[in-house]
Amino acid sequence: MKRQAFFISDGTGITAETLGHSLLAQFESIEFEQVTLPYIDSITKAQEVVTRLNDLAQAGSRPIVFDTIVNQDIRDEISKADAFKVDIFATFLAPLEKELNMGSSYTVGKSHVGGDNKSYLARIDAVNFALDNDDGSKIKHYDKADIILVGVSRSGKTPSCLYLALQFGIKAANYPLTEEDLGNGDLPKALQAHKHKLFGLTIDPERLAAIRNERKANSRYASLNQCYYETEEVEMLFQRMNIPFLTTTDLSVEEISTRIMVDTKLNRRA
């Protein structure tokens, strides 16, 4: 079974995507073809969207629409489409206005700018830090890190660092533990002074082998034996050195990052 879902906004569409993805994920037996239509900020654009949605409905596939359109005229135009519509702002803002006894500002993009330039700059600074300190490239900056993710290659360190930076303003570095690091039972010298900042990521070896084969097919690096060896050794290292760690096998980058925040009790900086 397959349905088409549209995330429509007069801004970036991020809010519509975030809520829409969360809701659709509860229906695992249905395959959703997902389309984001940002910056639908004129009646003409809205009419083009309505035509597209109606064409799909007439073809026998009634689309599902999540929208965060602020402008009432544009929302009224989208409402003419033959689609199942979830008007996110209308659903949630009206009850909030009643509870708070005041009208909302109905400002496009308000959820992303937040009026806090300091918070925005903190996130950008954290993203730059994550990029500059990826894969152990600049260990001299580890004293400035809020956290250092450690684990074998392709266990999810880099995307987690970037998400921690972009979502929470956390300065996250990462260091790959290679076969050479795993043989002596101790942390690499570069990490020893920062043990209190370390957080480990591990992964099911079969999943790791599949990921590595996409990068270097049929190599020793991607072999199942090598993946079993590295994951077993790294988990023993984490346990021996009392480093908290998380298995990333079935987790999204959002879940990994949020679990890290909870487990380490880090406070968001943006």
Side-chain angles (χ1 to χ4, degrees):
M1 187 175 182
K2 187 173 183 178
R3 295 288 295 271
Q4 289 185 301
F6 287 77
F7 311 111
I8 303 173
S9 176
D10 43 11
T12 64
I14 293 173
T15 302
E17 282 184 344
T18 300
L19 182 57
H21 287 162
S22 297
L23 294 174
L24 296 179
Q26 306 306 312
F27 302 91
E28 297 179 358
S29 63
I30 301 176
E31 179 184 356
F32 292 100
E33 181 181 336
Q34 302 180 21
V35 180
T36 301
L37 301 177
Y39 300 112
I40 305 302
D41 51 8
S42 70
I43 296 296
T44 299
K45 290 180 181 179
Q47 290 170 340
E48 292 172 354
V49 170
V50 170
T51 298
R52 181 175 179 178
L53 296 173
N54 286 343
D55 287 345
L56 288 171
Q58 290 172 9
S61 178
R62 189 176 185 227
I64 299 168
V65 171
F66 298 88
D67 86 75
T68 53
I69 292 174
V70 170
N71 183 279
Q72 186 63 52
D73 293 335
I74 298 175
R75 286 164 65 192
D76 290 343
E77 193 65 35
I78 294 294
S79 70
K80 298 176 183 178
D82 184 6
F84 177 81
K85 292 174 284 294
V86 180
D87 186 335
I88 295 172
F89 281 166
T91 301
F92 297 110
L93 279 181
L96 272 174
E97 288 175 332
K98 183 176 180 180
E99 174 64 24
L100 299 173
N101 196 30
M102 66 178 295
S104 65
S105 64
Y106 287 91
T107 303
V108 177
K110 194 70 174 177
S111 63
H112 307 299
V113 296
D116 188 353
N117 190 53
K118 184 178 179 181
S119 176
Y120 172 78
L121 292 175
R123 290 199 302 274
I124 296 303
D125 188 37
V127 169
N128 287 332
F129 184 89
L131 293 172
D132 286 342
N133 294 274
D134 185 40
D135 275 344
S137 57
K138 291 184 180 178
I139 59 176
K140 65 180 181 180
H141 294 150
Y142 280 3
D143 60 318
K144 297 182 177 67
D146 296 312
I147 191 170
I148 304 168
L149 301 187
V150 292
V152 300
S153 173
R154 313 307 285 181
S155 57
K157 300 183 301 300
T158 295
S160 298
C161 283
L162 289 170
Y163 191 87
L164 284 167
L166 190 58
Q167 186 69 16
F168 302 111
I170 296 298
K171 289 185 176 180
N174 79 76
Y175 188 99
L177 294 170
T178 65
E179 185 174 3
E180 291 73 22
D181 296 319
L182 299 173
N184 59 19
D186 200 0
L187 288 171
K189 187 176 180 180
L191 297 177
Q192 291 177 6
H194 308 287
K195 181 175 176 294
H196 62 291
K197 294 183 179 182
L198 302 184
F199 191 95
L201 298 183
T202 187
I203 187 171
D204 176 78
E206 294 190 8
R207 174 62 178 153
L208 180 61
I211 294 171
R212 287 184 173 184
N213 266 297
E214 293 178 3
R215 186 180 184 187
K216 293 184 179 180
N218 303 316
S219 63
R220 179 174 176 272
Y221 165 80
S223 70
L224 192 55
N225 285 341
Q226 183 66 18
C227 292
Y228 265 102
Y229 168 75
E230 290 186 26
T231 54
E232 288 174 0
E233 287 291 322
V234 82
E235 288 177 18
M236 286 193 294
L237 177 65
F238 293 156
Q239 292 167 351
R240 184 164 57 248
M241 303 302 296
N242 199 29
I243 296 170
F245 68 95
L246 176 67
T247 300
T248 65
T249 309
D250 298 315
L251 300 179
S252 67
V253 66
E254 295 90 344
E255 291 171 314
I256 295 168
S257 302
T258 304
R259 289 278 295 275
I260 290 171
M261 293 291 291
V262 171
D263 291 351
T264 60
K265 296 181 172 58
L266 279 171
N267 295 318
R268 67 184 305 149
R269 303 189 184 282

